[in-house]
Amino acid sequence: MTATTAELLTVPEVMTRLKLGRTKVYDLIRTHRLPSFTIGRARRIPAEAVKRFIREQMAEAA
């Protein structure tokens, strides 16, 4: 596993990367469009999942 694929992001970091609000990010998580998991009470999103989400959105838009 490389450092890039192992990188975990917080919800605020995902909000910044996607330029979305907190509610929309949690909606993407709730609908399983953006995979995540919790460690204790902390929600983490793999950076690769965010990249994959962006690629999928670009493919749909094309």
Side-chain angles (χ1 to χ4, degrees), residues 12-22 24-25 50 54:
E13 289 170 332
V14 174
M15 290 166 53
T16 300
R17 288 189 184 200
L18 295 179
K19 308 285 192 277
L20 295 173
R22 182 179 206 85
K24 185 60 179 176
V25 171
V50 175
I54 293 169

Side-chain angles (χ1 to χ4, degrees), residues 26-62:
Y26 276 110
D27 183 53
L28 292 172
I29 291 169
R30 183 181 54 77
T31 59
H32 304 287
R33 294 181 67 203
L34 192 58
S36 70
F37 59 91
T38 56
I39 302 172
R41 293 183 60 184
R43 174 135 335 247
R44 295 294 180 258
I45 302 99
E48 185 55 40
V50 175
K51 292 175 188 175
R52 185 171 43 252
F53 175 78
I54 293 169
R55 284 193 304 270
E56 290 170 358
Q57 294 304 300
M58 294 298 292
E60 287 178 20

